[in-house]
Amino acid sequence: MPQFDKDPYQTKSAVLFVIFNRPDTTQRVFEQIRAAKPKRLYVAADAPRPDVPEDEELCRETRAIINSIDWDCELKTLFKEKNVGLKYAVSSAVSWFFDQEEEGIILEDDCLPANSFFKFCDTLLEKYRYDTRIRHITGCNLQQGKKWGEGTYYFSNRSHVWGWACWKRVWKEYDRTLSKFDDGEIEEHIRNIFSDPLVVESWVNIFNDIKAGKINSWAYPVDFINFFNNGLTIIPNENLISNIGFGKNGTNTVQTDSVYANIPLAEIEEITDPKFVLPEKQADLFIMNNDFHVEERRRKQNLLRKRFKRWAKSVFKEAAVFMFLS
């Protein structure tokens, strides 16, 4: 964790903090929010799950953490009385936030921010406030040390939401169930964004699973709405968010050996803009190769093609011999 050698940056933006039943990770993220001292802090929490007895005490402990606010701060809370689940808890919390704010920063209880994450978001929320090409600002960098371009950040077609910032102008288009879109039209449009057939196939499958209610994710619809609006996400070339929630208590992040778990934080001093406002397609492909196992699937496809060719060749030879003997 980077140490402050000077007073930590104090954010100008409102912050939404989404919590649930993990007091340990919540406390760590809260300490970073406390250092940034937002003037307006929104805290949203889902209710305990009725079939998980330990949730009652864990949720109570987690909610109590915000009682430690010791700076000048307007606090607003949205505490659910009945459990609605991750997908609806997070998306409804963000909607509640943007019902009251034009722009702001969103953190979940397992997304540990560097202090300069807040300055990064403040600066770029203001810079791109009216630029409709830009739809999201994220703090996480999953490139495993690879940097893209000469700027402090680059542009992506993806919308990573482990610590992010956004504007009401974008969130008002959020469609949790992708109700406006039909499966028959999706593949053609995804091909306009990604050229690799296996990547296209992966996104089409995810879309269909969302429509069928098989994926419990509020975040994938954010990606699709971004795709369908030809939007760009800002991603820092240094990692400003570490996901500290991988493990048995994670909902979608359970593998503790994931390359995305507990990525070390960096701090940035100055923000320099990239020269071109274009997505780094290879950066996106790097992530999707890992997430969708693209190269492994391609090797299997190529192996099947080779086997088929060998089989077809042998069948052709046998047929030729049979015809000759006949």
Side-chain angles (χ1 to χ4, degrees):
M1 181 73 192
Q3 299 296 314
F4 300 122
D5 55 6
K6 56 184 179 181
D7 291 339
Y9 176 82
Q10 296 183 17
T11 185
K12 302 173 186 176
S13 298
V15 174
L16 169 64
F17 190 24
V18 182
I19 63 177
F20 179 43
N21 69 346
R22 292 187 283 184
D24 52 346
T25 62
T26 300
Q27 183 68 55
R28 292 179 65 188
V29 178
F30 176 77
E31 291 303 325
Q32 291 300 94
I33 294 173
R34 172 193 264 164
K37 294 181 170 59
K39 294 292 186 183
R40 298 184 307 287
L41 177 62
Y42 296 74
V43 181
D46 199 3
R49 293 165 293 185
D51 58 340
V52 183
E54 57 267 31
D55 267 5
E56 192 72 37
E57 177 60 20
L58 289 172
C59 289
R60 186 195 65 76
E61 289 180 18
T62 303
R63 293 183 183 190
I65 288 171
I66 65 170
N67 295 334
S68 301
I69 291 174
D70 56 3
W71 69 94
D72 182 18
C73 174
E74 178 186 355
L75 173 66
K76 295 185 180 183
T77 59
L78 178 66
F79 292 164
K80 300 288 189 184
E81 295 183 359
K82 293 184 178 180
N83 184 271
V84 297
L86 176 68
K87 183 175 183 177
Y88 294 94
V90 178
S91 59
S92 64
V94 179
S95 294
W96 167 68
F97 180 58
F98 284 121
D99 282 344
Q100 302 169 80
E101 298 287 342
E102 291 296 321
E103 60 191 36
I105 295 169
I106 299 95
L107 288 165
E108 293 181 72
D109 59 7
D110 57 0
C111 298
L112 183 69
N115 181 248
S116 56
F117 165 74
F118 295 98
K119 181 177 181 180
F120 184 74
C121 291
D122 279 355
T123 303
L124 299 178
L125 280 170
E126 180 178 358
K127 177 178 178 62
Y128 294 105
R129 185 171 291 150
Y130 306 111
D131 189 336
T132 56
R133 295 173 299 177
I134 315 303
R135 296 178 62 84
H136 301 90
I137 302 162
T138 189
C140 66
N141 180 293
L142 308 179
Q143 295 293 313
Q144 300 177 40
K146 170 69 176 177
K147 291 181 170 57
W148 299 89
E150 300 299 320
T152 307
Y153 58 94
Y154 67 91
F155 296 101
S156 167
N157 288 129
R158 295 292 310 277
S159 301
H160 303 303
V161 290
W162 290 348
W164 55 294
C166 190
W167 301 267
K168 176 187 284 189
R169 64 169 170 82
V170 173
W171 188 258
K172 68 181 182 181
E173 297 172 0
Y174 180 73
D175 182 359
R176 186 188 295 123
T177 61
L178 300 174
S179 60
K180 300 176 184 177
F181 307 101
D182 298 321
D183 55 0
E185 62 188 356
I186 294 307
E187 183 171 350
E188 175 185 353
H189 294 289
I190 294 296
R191 280 202 216 101
N192 289 329
I193 304 166
F194 303 113
S195 59
D196 189 309
L198 292 176
V199 170
V200 172
E201 178 185 278
S202 297
W203 281 115
V204 171
N205 290 339
I206 290 170
F207 176 87
N208 290 334
D209 284 348
I210 290 171
K211 297 287 282 187
K214 296 179 180 178
I215 292 181
N216 181 31
S217 171
W218 66 273
Y220 276 135
V222 175
D223 268 314
F224 281 105
I225 300 302
N226 201 46
F227 296 160
F228 301 154
N229 284 278
N230 198 29
L232 296 174
T233 294
I234 291 170
I235 298 183
N237 263 319
E238 300 284 354
N239 185 53
L240 303 180
I241 294 286
S242 182
N243 191 311
I244 58 174
F246 279 79
K248 64 180 181 179
N249 293 324
T251 302
N252 297 313
T253 52
V254 295
Q255 295 177 306
T256 55
D257 60 347
S258 169
V259 295
Y260 301 148
N262 301 297
I263 299 174
L265 290 173
E267 297 285 359
I268 55 175
E269 294 297 326
E270 297 183 8
I271 298 174
T272 55
D273 303 320
K275 185 175 182 180
F276 300 101
V277 185
L278 292 168
E280 292 285 358
K281 297 284 189 178
Q282 291 305 309
D284 287 349
L285 187 59
F286 177 81
I287 299 295
M288 291 181 290
N289 277 341
N290 184 69
D291 293 351
F292 300 153
H293 310 290
V294 172
E295 292 306 322
E296 179 183 343
R297 288 160 59 198
R298 200 184 322 279
R299 283 194 295 271
K300 288 180 179 179
Q301 278 192 353
N302 291 337
L303 181 60
L304 288 173
R305 288 193 188 98
K306 288 178 181 178
R307 288 176 176 174
F308 177 78
K309 287 180 180 178
R310 287 198 296 268
W311 172 83
K313 188 175 181 179
S314 66
V315 170
F316 178 78
K317 284 183 177 179
E318 289 176 4
V321 169
F322 176 78
M323 292 176 66
F324 176 77
L325 294 175
S326 298

